[in-house]
């Protein structure tokens, strides 16, 4: 093996996850390009490395490092180079030269042992001298910590997070309770902490491990939509997770309750366990809903009179339920309007807007997703924002839940007289809580949505719980208007919702069923529909036609369909760059979806010349876009989302994206597509239900094509079983009565 030594001139590339680094090492005027895994190294530092020379086909001669050792700079030139490299804040080239000129080879000893003597150098105060000494000591401490953490299999980027969180205390944390990492550090879940704990020798049945497992089980339950878990289910989940026998976890639950990390509630014969954050979200939301529910000092006769004038001027005619919805919205501080497709929700919203505008009141409109907000804008002629933008997302997130932090809150409420929220079935408890905190008492809040849609992706059952409480004015629109009756999508959606038989005879123009019983034939039919049949039929691009499927796994699941559809809809080409991943690959031109909320991701809207004209932060679970560029040199992928928002993803952020040629029906909530293709063959009974089918059908604007088994279709219509969702907002509302 060869040996090279010198000072790091430049870090050319570094992967913070695994420590792989490309750097240039300089000595006596010569430079060597070194490649290898370095746990912690910075520009200006000196090292001795063992390895061998290799010839890279693209980058030429390189020195592949197998072992290295950081060394203190020995000559004055190396010492000066290190101090001037920017490694120590506050020392530039001029100051570095002065320090080395004064102390020569004794510079580092002076800084470490007698830092007060740095004041002998012009421009260095007592305070600055101490800061310089502290920085050098911290770098030594961090390097030692990185080497220590390496034995636990911890990546470089995570090691830096751990050191920044705990400093020298990290040794005690890892020895006594590594599960603190899951509580204290973003990006460290239970599984990572558990792996570290096992390497540190923590027993499988330790109290620390069981309590951390309980919290992780509750967090995982929230990902499935639950706000709490019954004690028996929590015990079972935690036991499966930890792979230990748990006859009882009550002692550990009580300890967590004493630490105020969870809340215990008794209901009938069951004990319910909440994470503290979600319990207080529901409790506060219930209180805020009651606070908003005040009655205005106006008679129904006055409202009717003004409404008649608006109807005549706007040339609209409201039916009895629509008029009732407007009256309730005017009379009360909180009103809920629900109804299926074609029942006149949009007409009702427009009448409400016109009424309040005639009263010179400020009206704000919002919806949970960008697509839903865009549709609301088109339908009303008034600007509608996403709820996140309405509340002015600040790019931060809560440590307790990972939920967004907003500029608009109880201290800085929204400036409006009336707020109308559409697609309320999509709103989870955390977003609802944030919205309610930003509305001051006296502002009217009108919640509009289809209660028969699937519940929100996030935890809670907000719209259903509010309606079920019967504590607030609710108007359910049921009449299907004449124009809507011309659409079999609308008519059949209502039949599905009522459990009535739907004719699948293909005499319809917009509701088609293609009977196929072979998986490969179904896929072939879908590809033909997307590429040849539907684009001209609905006047849309291939990428605008959406495949919706009930499942992620299986032969007709999202994961398999996306791989196949990518081959046909965006095949490889010489002019399309690709990025291969462990689970597949991304290609320029691919349709992709964000699969988790990321409040820090920055986006920009660009002009035709590519200049940013608007900037913001936050890309959310379910947002879809198209990969425009893959830059292999900078390791960035640029995605254009709806509303022309461009986002740059580093390669290590790609786990937040997945192909979206096919998506689950749940992920389609709040969206509307020119045409929807729905493959139906087999699936678990709990999943293949009426609620899911109804949601899928109502996502189509011009045409829905179902491909598969009619038996499966009718079984779904008959199946009213829905997956149980544990939410407590109903109880909290009742308690405040």
């Amino acid at each position: 093996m060869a040996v090279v030594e010198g000072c790091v001139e430049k870090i050319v590339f570094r992967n913070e996850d695994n420590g792989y680094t490309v750097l240039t090492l300089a000595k006596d005027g010569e430079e060597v390009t070194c490649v290898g895994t370095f746990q912690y190294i910075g520009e200006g530092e000196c090292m001795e490395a063992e390895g061998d020379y290799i010839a890279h086909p693209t980058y030429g001669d390189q020195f592949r490092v197998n072992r290295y050792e950081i060394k203190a700079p020995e000559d004055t030139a190396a010492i000066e180079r290190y101090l001037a490299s920017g490694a120590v804040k506050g020392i530039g080239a001029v100051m570095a030269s002065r320090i080395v000129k004064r102390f020569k080879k004794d510079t580092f000893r002076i800084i470490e042992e007698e830092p007060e003597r740095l004041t002998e150098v012009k421009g260095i105060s007592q305070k600055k001298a101490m800061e310089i000494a502290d920085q050098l000591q911290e770098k030594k401490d961090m390097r030692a910590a990185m080497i220590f953490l390496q034995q636990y299999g911890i990546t470089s980027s995570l090691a830096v997070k751990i050191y920044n969180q705990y400093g020298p205390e990290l040794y005690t944390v890892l020895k006594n309770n590594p599960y603190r990492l899951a509580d204290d550090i973003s990006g460290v879940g239970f599984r990572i902490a558990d792996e570290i704990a096992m390497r540190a020798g923590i027993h499988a049945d330790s109290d620390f491990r069981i309590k951390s497992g309980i919290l992780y089980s509750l967090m995982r339950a929230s990902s499935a939509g639950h706000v709490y878990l019954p004690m028996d289910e929590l015990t079972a989940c935690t036991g499966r997770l930890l792979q230990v026998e748990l006859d009882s976890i009550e002692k550990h639950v009580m300890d967590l309750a004493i630490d105020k990390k969870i809340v215990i509630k008794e209901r009938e014969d069951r004990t319910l366990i909440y994470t503290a954050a979600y319990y207080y979200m529901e409790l506060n939301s219930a209180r805020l809903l009651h606070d908003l529910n005040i009655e205005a000092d106006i008679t129904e006769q006055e409202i009717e009179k003004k409404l008649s004038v608006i109807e005549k001027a706007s040339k609209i005619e409201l039916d009895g339920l629509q008029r009732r919805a407007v009256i309730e919205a005017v009379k009360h501080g909180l009103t809920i309007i629900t109804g299926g497709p074609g029942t006149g929700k949009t007409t009702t919203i427009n009448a409400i807007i016109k009424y309040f505008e005639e009263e010179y009141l400020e009206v704000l409109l919002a919806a949970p997703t960008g697509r839903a907000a865009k549709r609301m804008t088109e339908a009303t002629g008034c600007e509608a924002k996403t709820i996140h933008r309405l509340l002015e997302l600040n790019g931060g997130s809560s440590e307790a839940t990972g939920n967004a932090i907003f500029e608009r809150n109880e201290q800085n409420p929204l400036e409006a007289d009336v707020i109308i929220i559409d697609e309320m079935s999509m709103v989870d408890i955390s977003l609802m809580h944030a919205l309610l905190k930003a509305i001051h008492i006296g502002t009217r809040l009108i919640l509009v949505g289809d209660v028969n849609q699937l519940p929100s992706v996030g935890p809670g059952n907000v719209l259903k719980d509010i309606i079920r409480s019967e504590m607030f004015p609710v108007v359910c629109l049921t009449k299907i208007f004449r124009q809507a009756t011309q659409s079999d999508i609308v008519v059949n959606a209502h039949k599905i919702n009522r459990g009535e038989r739907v004719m699948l005879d293909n005499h319809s123009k917009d509701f088609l069923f293609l009977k196929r019983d072979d998986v490969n034939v179904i896929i072939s039919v879908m590809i033909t529909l997307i590429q040849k049949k539907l684009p001209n039929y609905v006047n849309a691009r291939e990428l605008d036609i959406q495949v919706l499927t009930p499942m992620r796994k299986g032969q007709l699941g999202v994961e398999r369909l996306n791989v196949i559809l990518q081959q046909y809809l965006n095949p490889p080409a010489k002019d399309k760059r690709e990025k291969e991943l462990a689970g597949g690959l991304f290609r320029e031109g691919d349709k992709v979806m964000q699969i988790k909320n990321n409040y820090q991701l920055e986006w920009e809207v660009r002009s035709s010349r590519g200049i940013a004209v608007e900037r913001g932060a936050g890309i959310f679970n379910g947002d879809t876009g198209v990969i425009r560029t893959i830059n292999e040199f900078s390791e960035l992928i640029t995605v254009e989302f709806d509303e022309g928002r461009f986002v740059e993803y580093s390669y290590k952020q790609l786990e937040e994206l997945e192909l979206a040629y096919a998506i689950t029906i749940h992920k389609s909530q709040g969206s509307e597509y020119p045409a929807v293709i729905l493959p139906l063959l087999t699936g678990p009974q709990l999943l293949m239900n009426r609620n899911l089918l109804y949601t899928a059908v109502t996502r189509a604007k011009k045409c829905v094509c179902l491909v598969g088994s009619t038996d499966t279709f009718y079984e779904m219509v008959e199946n009213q079983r829905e997956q149980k969702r544990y939410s407590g907002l109903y109880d909290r509302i009742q308690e405040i009565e």
Side-chain angles (χ1 to χ4, degrees):
M1 278 195 179
V3 177
V4 297
E5 59 179 292
C7 296
V8 179
E9 189 75 19
K10 184 179 181 183
I11 304 289
V12 179
F13 168 78
R14 180 169 176 81
N15 184 322
E16 293 296 343
D17 284 332
N18 58 25
Y20 178 78
T21 306
V22 180
L23 57 84
T24 55
L25 202 65
K27 186 171 185 181
D28 300 331
E30 294 185 5
E31 290 187 354
V32 178
T33 299
C34 297
V35 297
T37 300
F38 298 86
Q39 284 303 311
Y40 183 76
I41 197 164
E43 292 180 357
E45 294 189 296
C46 297
M47 74 169 181
E48 179 183 277
E50 285 183 4
D52 47 50
Y53 287 95
I54 58 172
H56 192 281
T58 303
Y59 302 111
D61 292 339
Q62 296 179 335
F63 187 78
R64 184 168 55 198
V65 177
N66 296 319
R67 189 196 67 79
Y68 71 98
E69 182 182 351
I70 302 294
K71 291 182 169 289
E74 295 176 352
D75 57 57
T76 54
I79 295 171
E80 185 175 332
R81 187 188 295 114
Y82 176 74
L83 292 176
S85 68
V88 181
K89 290 179 183 177
I91 298 182
V94 174
M95 187 61 71
S97 176
R98 287 180 191 167
I99 293 170
V100 175
K101 187 176 181 181
R102 177 72 182 85
F103 300 114
K104 299 183 174 57
K105 288 185 179 181
D106 209 23
T107 296
F108 280 122
R109 189 196 66 77
I110 293 293
I111 294 175
E112 289 180 17
E113 298 177 11
E114 304 176 72
E116 66 280 358
R117 287 192 58 194
L118 287 172
T119 57
E120 297 172 19
V121 178
K122 183 182 177 183
I124 297 182
S125 63
Q126 184 78 24
K127 181 181 176 183
K128 189 169 185 177
M130 293 302 108
E131 287 175 354
I132 292 169
D134 288 345
Q135 283 189 63
L136 279 183
Q137 185 59 46
E138 186 175 353
K139 286 187 174 296
K140 284 181 68 177
D141 291 344
M142 180 176 274
R143 187 177 295 111
M146 301 291 268
I147 294 168
F148 172 78
L149 293 170
Q150 186 181 7
Q151 66 184 305
Y152 294 100
I154 295 171
T155 65
S156 299
S157 58
L158 181 53
V160 171
K161 282 185 179 180
I162 293 171
Y163 182 82
N164 289 340
Q165 175 72 29
Y166 301 118
E169 191 195 348
L170 71 89
Y171 304 100
T172 305
V173 171
L174 261 68
K175 180 181 177 183
N176 295 335
N177 181 16
Y179 295 99
R180 275 186 60 187
L181 273 63
D183 293 335
D184 298 341
I185 300 175
S186 173
V188 179
F190 171 81
R191 295 195 182 281
I192 293 175
D194 198 34
E195 189 177 330
I196 293 169
M198 293 185 74
R199 293 189 187 211
I202 302 293
H203 292 297
D205 60 352
S206 76
D207 288 354
F208 291 134
R209 186 168 188 259
I210 293 172
K211 284 192 280 191
S212 185
I214 291 168
L215 293 173
Y216 181 72
S217 295
L218 288 171
M219 185 202 75
R220 199 159 61 172
S222 72
S223 300
H226 304 301
V227 177
Y228 66 83
L229 281 179
M231 177 74 89
D232 54 345
E233 290 192 32
L234 178 60
T235 302
C237 289
T238 307
R240 286 194 299 270
L241 171 71
L242 302 180
Q243 295 185 321
V244 295
E245 287 293 329
L246 286 177
D247 296 328
S248 173
I249 59 171
E250 290 186 19
K251 170 189 175 299
H252 306 289
V253 166
M254 289 303 300
D255 288 344
L256 288 168
I258 291 167
D259 291 340
K260 297 185 178 179
K261 292 186 176 180
I262 65 170
V263 172
I264 304 170
K265 295 290 288 185
E266 300 292 340
R267 190 172 71 190
E268 297 172 355
D269 59 342
R270 301 191 90 179
T271 301
L272 314 180
I273 312 300
Y274 294 75
T275 58
Y278 283 125
Y279 174 79
Y280 288 110
M281 275 184 197
E282 286 195 331
L283 183 64
N284 290 336
S285 294
R287 177 181 56 79
L288 292 166
L289 286 166
H290 277 287
D291 289 347
L292 287 174
N293 190 31
I294 56 179
E295 194 161 336
D297 185 19
I298 186 170
T299 65
E300 287 197 18
Q301 290 75 15
E302 290 177 82
I303 301 170
E304 289 270 15
K305 187 176 179 182
K306 292 178 180 178
L307 192 52
S308 297
V309 173
I310 290 169
E311 283 183 283
K312 188 175 181 180
S314 304
K315 296 180 181 179
I316 59 173
E317 186 177 340
L318 303 175
D319 79 344
L321 285 172
Q322 289 175 311
R323 293 181 73 83
R324 172 49 51 189
V326 178
I327 290 167
E328 295 293 346
V330 175
K331 280 181 63 181
H332 296 96
L334 175 65
T335 306
I336 298 93
I337 302 169
T338 184
T343 56
K345 293 193 297 294
T346 298
T347 302
T348 306
I349 290 172
N350 280 326
I352 291 170
I353 292 170
K354 285 183 172 64
Y355 186 100
F356 287 122
E357 285 180 342
E358 289 289 322
E359 299 293 306
Y360 301 101
L361 298 179
E362 179 74 20
V363 181
L364 294 179
L365 309 180
T369 67
R371 286 194 171 196
K374 185 178 179 182
R375 285 210 322 275
M376 198 179 187
T377 299
E378 292 168 351
T380 63
C382 304
E383 183 190 11
K385 298 179 179 180
T386 65
I387 299 174
H388 287 87
R389 291 183 75 179
L390 181 75
L391 298 178
E392 298 175 19
L393 178 72
N394 71 6
S397 60
S398 161
E399 288 185 13
T401 61
N403 292 314
I405 296 174
F406 301 99
E407 294 294 336
R408 294 289 182 174
N409 49 42
E410 53 268 63
Q411 280 81 42
N412 182 29
L414 292 163
E415 297 171 7
D417 301 298
V418 182
I419 297 172
I420 305 175
I421 307 295
D422 198 8
E423 294 286 357
M424 263 302 298
S425 62
M426 295 183 66
V427 177
D428 63 22
I429 188 60
S430 58
L431 190 56
M432 187 64 182
H433 183 240
L435 175 67
L436 291 171
K437 285 197 301 179
I439 301 175
H440 56 71
I441 297 172
T443 299
R444 289 179 175 86
L445 176 61
I446 300 157
L447 307 177
V448 184
D450 185 346
V451 75
N452 294 305
Q453 296 282 354
L454 288 168
S456 58
V457 174
N461 220 349
V462 174
L463 183 61
K464 282 186 178 179
D465 280 357
I466 293 173
I467 292 173
R468 192 162 67 94
S469 74
E470 298 183 351
M471 298 295 294
F472 312 106
V474 177
V475 179
C476 182
L477 305 177
T478 54
K479 179 183 176 182
I480 305 175
F481 285 85
R482 188 181 306 149
Q483 186 177 353
T485 60
Q486 298 171 9
S487 165
D488 286 320
I489 294 174
V490 172
V491 172
N492 288 338
H494 283 276
K495 285 184 176 181
I496 290 167
N497 191 43
R498 293 192 296 264
E500 298 173 3
R501 190 164 183 83
V502 176
M503 295 301 295
L504 303 177
D505 53 13
N506 286 338
H507 290 163
S508 169
K509 291 182 180 180
D510 61 3
F511 194 95
L512 308 173
F513 200 109
L514 306 177
K515 299 176 186 178
R516 304 291 188 274
D517 57 9
D518 181 89
V519 168
N520 293 327
V521 174
I522 290 173
I523 293 171
S524 177
V525 168
M526 290 196 298
I527 292 168
T528 301
L529 286 169
I530 296 170
Q531 290 187 319
K532 298 178 181 178
K533 302 292 185 182
L534 287 175
N536 290 334
Y537 190 67
V538 297
N539 190 27
R541 302 173 306 161
E542 285 183 9
L543 289 181
D544 293 329
I545 297 163
Q546 188 62 57
V547 175
L548 301 181
T549 180
M551 299 160 292
R552 287 198 58 82
K553 306 287 184 182
Q555 292 185 304
L556 290 174
V558 164
E559 293 174 6
R560 182 169 185 257
L561 286 179
N562 271 321
V563 173
I564 296 170
L565 292 172
Q566 183 190 44
Q567 294 172 4
Y568 286 90
L569 304 182
N570 189 30
K574 289 182 180 179
D575 62 340
K576 292 180 183 176
R577 283 164 290 195
E578 300 177 351
K579 169 58 182 171
E580 194 165 353
L581 304 166
L585 64 82
F586 288 131
R587 183 178 294 132
E588 289 178 339
D590 273 337
K591 185 177 181 180
V592 292
M593 173 181 280
Q594 176 80 11
I595 59 171
K596 62 180 286 191
N597 289 337
N598 187 323
Y599 307 111
Q600 285 79 38
L601 262 181
E602 296 180 353
W603 52 262
E604 61 182 33
V605 176
R606 299 173 181 173
S607 68
S608 57
R609 295 183 179 181
I611 299 169
V613 294
E614 183 184 357
R615 287 190 172 91
I619 298 294
F620 308 110
N621 189 353
D623 285 354
T624 57
V626 177
I627 294 177
R628 295 305 182 196
T629 60
I630 297 177
N631 190 321
E632 295 170 349
F633 179 77
S634 62
E635 298 193 339
L636 293 173
I637 287 185
T638 303
V639 178
E640 182 182 1
F641 285 95
D642 294 333
E643 301 172 308
R645 295 172 298 154
F646 286 84
V647 178
E648 289 188 340
Y649 289 82
S650 66
Y651 280 1
K652 65 182 179 182
Q653 291 175 306
L654 294 184
E655 62 185 21
E656 297 185 14
L657 289 176
E658 68 179 21
L659 294 175
Y661 299 103
I663 64 174
T664 62
I665 296 167
H666 223 132
K667 291 280 191 182
S668 71
Q669 284 178 275
S671 296
E672 190 176 67
Y673 310 97
V676 162
I677 301 172
L678 181 61
L680 293 178
L681 199 56
T682 59
Q685 190 179 24
L686 195 60
L687 186 65
M688 307 288 280
N689 58 33
R690 180 188 297 177
N691 193 211
L692 196 80
L693 182 60
Y694 173 78
T695 300
V697 167
T698 54
R699 298 307 91 205
K701 186 176 183 181
K702 296 181 180 178
C703 184
V704 60
C705 294
L706 300 101
V707 188
S709 163
T710 54
D711 289 344
T712 300
F713 176 88
Y714 288 126
E715 286 167 7
M716 290 181 75
V717 174
E718 292 296 321
N719 182 14
Q720 294 189 67
R721 289 181 63 194
E722 295 179 27
Q723 200 160 5
K724 175 68 178 174
R725 178 171 282 221
Y726 295 118
S727 65
L729 182 60
Y730 168 84
D731 294 324
R732 304 291 84 78
I733 291 171
Q734 295 291 324
E735 288 170 358
I736 295 175
E737 182 184 357

